Amino acid sequence: MEILQPDTWAEALEAKAAHAEAKPIAGGTDVMVELNFDHIRPPQMLDLTRIRELTEWAPENGRLRIGAGVPYTRLIAELGDRLPGLAIASRTVGSPQIRNRGTVGGNLGTSSPAGDALPPLFADDAEVELVSVRGARRLSVHDFVTGPKRNCMEPDELISAFFVAPAEGPQQFAKIGTRNAMVIAVCSLGLSLFPEQHRVTACIGSAGPMPIRATEAEGFIAGVLDEHGLWESRGALPVAALTRFSELVELAARPIDDVRGTAAYRHHALRVLGRRTLAWAWTEYRA
Ligand SMILES: Cc1cc2nc3c(=O)[nH]c(=O)nc-3n(C[C@H](O)[C@H](O)[C@H](O)COP(=O)(O)OP(=O)(O)OC[C@H]3O[C@@H](n4cnc5c(N)ncnc54)[C@H](O)[C@@H]3O)c2cc1C
């Protein structure tokens, strides 16, 4: 197998244009597993770890532009205050070794419904920047992921960065697994409060072919918060509203039975996560 090791972004794009089947590798924490199990045997590997631009982040027009190659460890340390939901999710990924190597760009590249970075990115309407020698395009993460482990990247494209707004209010993420660490999500939920926009967003992970926004639950709770003037008063959430929100989160899920859990269990767990994450986030907002 040929290993392509470009030193610059321009060289990386040229290499991808010249070798459409070359497999990009960032942290390698998904790719190496696929190679070891002989699930893939690409003619070339395209090592992206020498490209400095991919490991940089900066504010840009009110949003954060985060290079695809920023590892979870740095995201937690450097951006945890601005992106608390993504940071909580990042802390649940694998082990310290996996978080040192693994990147959000790689999580996007794999596009697994169980990818832990995806629910926060979906809840925050993040955008993905794709680049090739033909030019750059920026699209919503909702359009980028097209199915289980599928996305709309063209063969000559690479992910350069993702864009996400700094948190406007409290954010939460919770994940159910069969143990506390080194575990792929049985199901998960990312939730964000937008106090200025009077919005709540929630995205379900690992309980459908791709991350699912619980739009009915979002609309319901936004209505309750407005009706009772709770954004302004920071009063307690009515218990019935919390219960209905969690029911609507559960109803949005489209889980299957698989090795990690049954559909019925995932439904139950999501109802619990809906209640829990909203209660945590609202308690933080009130404080
Ligand atoms: C022990 C273990 C535990 C894990 N635990 C978790 C977990 O708890 N939660 C979770 O979500 N994941 C987990 N994973 C999976 C993996 O760590 C994550 O998906 C991680 O985000 C992958 O990032 P990476 O940089 O290592 O990607 P890589 O393995 O380098 O790449 C992943 C995919 O993205 C593509 N890619 C990478 N960068 C680019 C780019 N810039 N442009 C285009 N394509 C690109 C690659 O070609 C490949 O298809 C685990 C893996 C292991 C081995």
Side-chain angles (χ1 to χ4, degrees):
M1 191 186 295
E2 198 184 347
I3 310 293
L4 308 171
Q5 287 196 305
D7 287 313
T8 66
W9 184 228
E11 282 170 22
L13 296 174
E14 276 161 27
K16 193 72 179 104
H19 306 278
E21 286 180 51
K23 185 74 175 163
I25 177 165
T29 60
D30 275 326
V31 169
M32 293 310 296
V33 175
E34 285 188 272
L35 282 176
N36 286 344
F37 281 104
D38 222 9
H39 290 161
I40 57 167
R41 195 54 49 187
Q44 298 94 13
M45 299 290 292
L46 179 58
D47 176 11
L48 298 175
T49 55
R50 297 180 177 191
I51 317 293
R52 192 177 36 82
E53 291 95 316
L54 292 183
T55 63
E56 293 173 340
W57 64 265
E60 196 177 298
N61 300 326
R63 300 197 122 199
L64 293 162
R65 181 186 190 280
I66 303 169
V70 174
Y72 292 109
T73 306
R74 277 189 50 212
L75 203 140
I76 295 163
E78 298 169 25
L79 290 163
D81 55 343
R82 275 157 282 195
L83 300 173
L86 186 57
I88 298 169
S90 300
R91 282 189 206 100
T92 77
V93 173
S95 60
Q97 295 91 332
I98 297 294
R99 292 193 289 274
N100 285 340
R101 299 287 312 175
T103 63
V104 173
N107 215 236
L108 285 163
T110 298
S111 300
S112 163
D116 286 322
L118 300 186
L121 295 183
F122 272 64
D124 292 340
D125 295 314
E127 290 174 306
V128 182
E129 185 178 71
L130 299 176
V131 184
S132 72
V133 290
R134 295 174 289 116
R137 59 182 175 133
R138 202 163 134 175
L139 66 164
S140 163
V141 70
H142 304 281
D143 297 324
F144 173 76
V145 180
T146 53
K149 297 200 172 177
R150 285 205 301 271
N151 58 57
C152 67
M153 232 184 321
E154 296 291 341
D156 63 346
E157 285 182 320
L158 292 171
I159 306 167
S160 51
F162 61 98
F163 291 79
V164 61
E168 194 183 292
Q171 298 182 337
Q172 277 298 337
F173 174 85
K175 162 174 163 182
I176 300 278
T178 45
R179 56 183 182 178
N180 239 351
M182 286 286 274
V183 72
I184 300 175
V186 173
C187 60
S188 66
L189 191 72
L191 179 133
S192 295
L193 301 189
F194 297 83
E196 284 159 35
Q197 303 172 44
H198 285 204
R199 280 197 313 133
V200 177
T201 58
C203 182
I204 295 165
S206 212
M210 46 199 277
I212 301 171
R213 278 280 289 269
T215 47
E216 279 199 39
E218 293 176 0
F220 164 76
I221 200 67
V224 172
L225 294 172
D226 275 338
E227 192 186 330
H228 295 271
L230 291 176
W231 289 113
E232 294 77 18
S233 71
R234 296 183 192 244
L237 272 181
V239 174
L242 205 50
T243 303
R244 183 64 187 146
F245 173 79
S246 56
E247 281 168 7
L248 290 171
V249 167
E250 178 193 339
L251 284 173
R254 288 190 283 139
I256 53 166
D257 293 337
D258 68 13
V259 286
R260 294 200 299 278
T262 62
Y265 177 69
R266 286 182 159 107
H267 273 293
H268 165 76
L270 280 164
R271 186 190 288 228
V272 175
L273 293 189
R275 191 183 185 94
R276 220 175 255 178
T277 52
L278 180 57
W280 287 337
W282 192 254
T283 301
E284 189 185 332
Y285 178 65
R286 294 185 72 195

